[in-house]
Amino acid sequence: MEIWINPACSKCRSALSLLDAEGAEYTVRRYLEEVPGEEEIREVLERLGLEPWDITRTQEAVATELGLKEWERNAGTRDRWIAALAAHPKLIQRPIITADDGTAVVGRTEEAVRDALSRRTDV
């Protein structure tokens, strides 16, 4: 299990606390420092079952600069969105937890983190 975090994010800290309380084995990835590339973002999107615009933080200043809210959301623009996430990792929703069963969740709620925990194999 790996969790992509921004240490300044309260949702990330809450997710880590819950993982620790449940005794989960996991690896922390500070994705603003260890930036995922486009291929890795594609893989995580597949695991999440989401599109890039579904995990984009459109309220970030860089999102406004790029005009993301006006970007089309379809198969033809998917690569453009992924490239923006790779170039500006601050746009990636957090935390993202990759579960042991090959799936992933955006762990912004306790329920989502528990969902990822239910898929672990280290129990």
Side-chain angles (χ1 to χ4, degrees):
M1 184 180 300
E2 181 176 78
I3 181 170
W4 293 9
I5 69 157
N6 173 349
C9 169
S10 63
K11 300 279 186 192
C12 293
R13 292 191 306 272
S14 293
L16 290 172
S17 293
L18 182 53
L19 292 174
D20 289 341
E22 294 295 325
E25 292 182 23
Y26 62 91
T27 303
V28 170
R29 178 170 182 175
R30 294 177 179 216
Y31 72 95
L32 297 178
E33 298 166 14
E34 191 182 333
V35 179
E38 290 182 29
E39 197 52 45
E40 192 171 8
I41 291 170
R42 280 187 187 83
E43 178 186 316
V44 165
L45 287 168
E46 186 174 319
R47 292 176 76 168
L48 287 166
L50 297 173
E51 293 295 340
W53 44 85
D54 296 327
I55 65 162
T56 300
R57 298 172 52 84
T58 57
Q59 301 303 317
E60 292 290 335
V62 68
T64 303
E65 291 170 23
L66 294 172
L68 286 183
K69 286 186 179 181
E70 287 76 45
W71 287 16
E72 289 188 37
R73 298 172 183 214
N74 58 47
T77 61
R78 190 171 196 271
D79 287 344
R80 182 181 184 199
W81 282 87
I82 291 170
L85 293 173
H88 307 281
K90 197 170 193 176
L91 294 172
I92 300 172
Q93 191 59 265
R94 59 189 182 249
I96 292 177
I97 303 170
T98 56
D100 293 343
D101 69 353
T103 61
V105 298
V106 178
R108 295 192 56 76
T109 65
E110 181 177 333
E111 182 179 74
V113 176
R114 289 197 181 282
D115 183 32
L117 282 166
S118 73
R119 303 171 193 199
R120 70 187 218 219
T121 59
D122 67 336
V123 248

